[in-house]
Amino acid sequence: MLKYVIKRIVLMLFTFFIICTMCFMLIRMLPMTYPEGLTAAQKAEIQALWTAYGYDKPIIVQFGIYLRNIFTKFDFGRAWRLSGYTTEAFDFFLGKMPMTIMVNFCSVLLSTPLGILLGIYAAIKKNKWQDSVISVMIMLFVSVPSYVYAFIVQYLLYFKLEWFPLVVYSVADAGGVFTWKMFYSMVPAIIALSFGEIAYLCRFTRAELTETLTSDYMLLARTKGLTRAQATVRHALKNAMVPILPMIISSFISIIGGSMIIEQIFSINGVGQLYIQAINQLDYDVFMVDTIFYTFVGLLSGIIVDLSYGFIDPRIRMGER
């Protein structure tokens, strides 16, 4: 097990380095331009910073300087356009994190129990009208992109019912990130984010539990005198949760990744919207911070999910032949 963990970590770091290298090379091939509205003194100051960061050197040398600054000074560059060249890119990135964490954490808390409960109910009512209705809803929610649900939610909850604002309040208007007013404005975004996760968990739970309910040990449990409900709770659910729990763990890890499209539609000032802004405005260092973050979260999530199988079920040992 230890050998497998070390191997996966080494492969993760290698893949992480390759992806970040490719993104750095591609983004640095684009021309550097001054932000608009600067004085001659400010342009001279920016030019001096560009020289210090090695922007006037070959790309491979720039990459070496970039890595050296990260490992020696934890300096990821500056937010040249999005927040003024005096603001460090990493600090600017961290300022966007609370909004992303809040909206995605609430979405996971809503979608996880609903998805599992609907999946359990569909498995128990297999081949009945309840199962058919839930299956049709699952196919609909899985097939339709999340931004379509976002527009539908906005149309119903804002234009028709007028229950919620069209977009999320700013931190200044809500009096902070973790306030009731901020949560109230995030409800439409949370609902839009939850549709796909609910359908995914429901479909997977139904498939696993349906297979478990038809196993031989379930028949043995019934012959020993257990009712259908007792056998389902004590045996079927316990075994079906082995592949389901890693999915839940993955969902909680991915909440810090955010949703670029949903954040853009609802004007959520988080890391997802920041990624799009960095690309549109050619803010190279902010783009790299976002890329490093998303890549690391995605790779780390894969490793944790694989390892969680062994911790959830001791019979599973990753790396065994």
Side-chain angles (χ1 to χ4, degrees):
M1 189 71 173
L2 179 61
K3 182 179 178 181
Y4 175 79
V5 172
I6 295 174
K7 179 181 177 182
R8 286 297 305 272
I9 292 176
V10 171
L11 289 175
M12 183 198 77
L13 294 176
F14 179 73
T15 306
F16 177 74
F17 178 78
I18 293 298
I19 294 174
C20 292
T21 302
M22 291 175 60
C23 291
F24 182 90
M25 297 298 178
L26 291 173
I27 197 68
R28 286 296 177 94
M29 289 180 182
L30 299 176
M32 295 287 290
T33 57
Y34 293 105
E36 298 179 357
L38 297 181
T39 63
Q42 289 174 326
K43 289 183 178 180
E45 187 177 357
I46 290 179
Q47 186 62 50
L49 288 172
W50 284 353
T51 302
Y53 283 113
Y55 287 170
D56 56 343
K57 295 179 173 59
I59 293 180
I60 190 66
V61 178
Q62 293 183 35
F63 188 55
I65 295 173
Y66 187 75
L67 292 179
R68 183 193 65 190
N69 290 337
I70 291 176
F71 288 113
T72 59
K73 298 182 288 185
F74 205 70
D75 184 1
F76 289 83
R78 305 295 178 94
W80 299 104
R81 295 177 178 275
L82 293 174
S83 185
Y85 59 90
T86 58
T87 305
E88 292 191 3
F90 187 75
D91 294 338
F92 185 64
F93 170 82
L94 285 183
K96 307 291 184 178
M97 185 65 71
M99 294 285 286
T100 293
I101 291 178
M102 183 174 179
V103 67
N104 287 276
F105 184 75
C106 293
S107 174
V108 171
L109 288 182
L110 173 66
S111 59
T112 300
L114 282 178
I116 294 176
L117 289 175
L118 286 174
I120 294 173
Y121 185 72
I124 294 174
K125 299 293 184 179
K126 182 183 177 182
N127 296 330
K128 297 183 180 179
W129 68 269
Q130 296 96 329
D131 181 31
S132 300
V133 172
I134 293 176
S135 297
V136 171
M137 292 175 60
I138 289 173
M139 292 302 298
L140 180 64
F141 290 158
V142 170
S143 303
V144 178
S146 60
Y147 61 84
V148 176
Y149 296 123
F151 295 138
I152 294 174
V153 168
Q154 284 182 330
Y155 176 75
L156 293 177
L157 298 184
Y158 173 73
F159 289 103
K160 286 296 184 181
L161 301 176
E162 298 182 356
W163 287 353
F164 297 97
L166 179 63
V167 296
V168 174
Y169 293 141
S170 65
V171 177
D173 292 336
V177 176
F178 303 102
T179 62
W180 170 252
K181 188 175 181 181
M182 179 64 77
F183 173 77
Y184 164 77
S185 68
M186 283 185 175
V187 169
I190 293 170
I191 294 174
L193 275 172
S194 299
F195 281 119
E197 191 70 22
I198 291 173
Y200 185 53
L201 278 173
C202 180
R203 181 176 61 175
F204 199 79
T205 303
R206 180 194 177 279
E208 290 296 327
L209 190 56
T210 298
E211 182 180 354
T212 305
L213 288 173
T214 57
S215 302
D216 293 337
Y217 66 84
M218 286 296 294
L219 179 60
L220 178 62
R222 294 296 303 276
T223 58
K224 287 183 176 181
L226 293 179
T227 63
R228 181 179 176 83
Q230 290 173 333
T232 300
V233 173
R234 296 182 186 180
H235 299 285
L237 280 178
K238 182 179 179 181
N239 287 278
M241 283 296 120
V242 172
I244 294 173
L245 285 177
M247 293 176 54
I248 300 174
I249 295 173
S250 176
S251 297
F252 273 96
I253 295 174
S254 63
I255 61 175
I256 56 177
S259 173
M260 289 182 282
I261 298 177
I262 296 297
E263 289 188 10
Q264 191 73 15
I265 292 174
F266 289 96
S267 297
I268 301 173
N269 195 16
V271 297
Q273 187 186 59
L274 179 64
Y275 209 5
I276 296 177
Q277 292 175 345
I279 295 172
N280 290 336
Q281 299 191 30
L282 299 180
D283 206 321
Y284 305 138
D285 290 341
V286 175
F287 169 81
M288 279 305 302
V289 172
D290 254 317
T291 300
I292 291 171
F293 170 75
Y294 276 111
T295 304
F296 182 77
V297 169
L299 295 174
L300 181 65
S301 175
I303 291 181
I304 293 178
V305 167
D306 287 345
L307 296 180
S308 64
Y309 285 103
F311 291 106
I312 294 170
D313 190 346
R315 296 172 298 178
I316 302 174
R317 283 294 177 265
M318 307 302 294
E320 294 287 343
R321 294 186 181 274

